[in-house]
Amino acid sequence: QVQLVESGGGLVQTGGSLRLSCAASGRTFRSYAMGWFRQAPGKEREFVAAKRWSGGTTLYADSVKGRFTISRDNAGTTVYLQMNNLKPEDTAVYYCAAAPTGRVGVEVQGYDYWGQGTQVTVSS
């Protein structure tokens, strides 16, 4: 059974940094695509970043390009989202997601497995 568990969220001031982690278990994820999405109150869940675990294609939302970096460990167990120069509009619950197809996409529907989310709050 696939499990994705996010951690690393919290409260940070504008301009600060956070690193989110997503611990993945229950499968061998090397052929998967892994993504980060976020959802602010009253808004739809939106794409943040994604990459294939084995490397290659990496995508970022325009709103985070140059500030956020998605990466993974070589052991194939953890995906990270390094978030720098945070802004109040980055405030949201951040979710880790996994796509068994290996397709790196921006649509919520493209991902079959989801974590429970971790709250990120950026104060102005």
Side-chain angles (χ1 to χ4, degrees), residues 10 14 16 19 24-25 32 35-36 47 68 80 84 92 103-104 109:
T14 297
R19 188 175 81 156
S25 62
Y32 281 47
W36 286 96
F47 170 77
F68 290 13
Y80 304 99
N84 298 328
R103 179 178 177 274
V104 180
Q109 296 84 347

Side-chain angles (χ1 to χ4, degrees), residues 3-117:
Q3 273 198 317
L4 304 175
V5 180
E6 302 96 335
S7 61
L11 173 64
V12 65
Q13 291 185 334
T14 297
S17 299
L18 283 174
R19 188 175 81 156
L20 305 184
S21 299
C22 172
S25 62
R27 290 283 192 280
T28 300
F29 290 91
R30 297 188 188 278
S31 63
Y32 281 47
M34 303 298 294
W36 286 96
F37 289 74
R38 66 187 182 187
Q39 188 166 18
K43 295 188 176 181
E44 294 188 351
R45 194 168 297 189
E46 66 174 7
F47 170 77
V48 175
K51 72 176 292 155
R52 186 169 297 171
W53 202 299
S54 59
T57 304
T58 302
L59 292 178
Y60 293 96
D62 287 344
S63 58
V64 307
K65 207 171 289 184
R67 300 187 298 123
F68 290 13
T69 303
I70 184 172
S71 64
R72 85 303 185 255
D73 69 346
N74 291 328
T77 60
T78 307
V79 177
Y80 304 99
L81 184 68
Q82 177 67 43
M83 307 186 295
N84 298 328
N85 190 21
L86 282 160
K87 305 175 181 180
E89 51 264 43
D90 295 318
T91 295
V93 177
Y94 283 71
Y95 297 90
C96 176
T101 60
R103 179 178 177 274
V104 180
V106 303
E107 305 88 0
V108 169
Q109 296 84 347
Y111 294 80
D112 291 347
Y113 303 103
W114 293 84
Q116 83 291 348

